[in-house]
Amino acid sequence: MIRLKRAYESPNEDDGSRYLVDRLWPRGITKEDARLTEWLKDLAPSEELRKWFGHDPKRWGEFKRRYKLELHAAVREQILMDLTQKAKAGTVTLVFAAKETEHNNAVVIKEVLERKLAGNDPSTR
């Protein structure tokens, strides 16, 4: 199972393994309070793409398209494969800091991971 959770929400046991998927650390959160399994900043969108998007819902479709292209880089693809394996074994929670809960990089990552889990991703063949 793959879940999404804002960094400002309290962690709980149902979260399973918790992975921060932002390039920047969330303001006001200590590493102890975040209770992360790992910080996957290399999985985050490029600085250029992040700034261009600016969480503008009008740019969401184009952001998703561009970000999915970025996720196909070899290093990121390996991280995604590792997360897919972890999700097969238990709950994985993708942690993000954005206020916008429907239009952020964690949503795209979750979508990509779910396709991999379902065997609907060409890179898993």
Side-chain angles (χ1 to χ4, degrees):
M1 177 184 295
I2 302 167
R3 295 182 175 178
L4 300 176
K5 195 168 199 177
R6 286 194 73 224
Y8 302 99
E9 295 177 59
S10 297
N12 63 47
E13 288 184 28
D14 293 341
D15 290 346
S17 300
R18 293 171 46 88
Y19 299 93
L20 178 64
V21 292
D22 290 341
R23 187 166 306 281
L24 304 174
W25 188 263
R27 291 183 186 173
I29 302 289
T30 66
K31 289 184 180 182
E32 293 77 28
D33 290 342
R35 286 194 257 163
L36 297 173
T37 304
E38 193 172 350
W39 181 10
L40 301 175
K41 67 173 100 175
D42 290 336
L43 200 55
S46 66
E47 187 72 13
E48 298 79 22
L49 182 58
R50 183 182 67 81
K51 286 182 178 181
W52 172 84
F53 175 48
H55 298 284
D56 181 350
K58 292 179 213 147
R59 294 183 173 180
W60 175 241
E62 183 61 15
F63 171 79
K64 281 178 58 172
R65 187 189 71 75
R66 291 182 188 186
Y67 186 38
K68 285 179 180 179
L69 289 174
E70 287 188 359
L71 289 173
H72 285 297
V75 172
R76 290 178 172 162
E77 194 63 51
Q78 184 58 54
I79 295 169
L80 290 169
M81 292 306 298
D82 291 346
L83 283 175
T84 301
Q85 293 304 313
K86 290 173 181 167
K88 285 179 181 177
T91 302
V92 166
T93 298
L94 304 176
V95 179
F96 62 95
K99 290 179 185 175
E100 174 58 69
T101 58
E102 294 180 28
H103 303 102
N104 66 67
N105 63 301
V107 172
V108 178
I109 295 168
K110 181 178 190 259
E111 182 180 308
V112 169
L113 291 174
E114 286 175 340
R115 287 189 71 181
K116 288 181 180 302
L117 285 168
N120 295 329
D121 187 83
S123 66
T124 60
R125 295 184 189 127

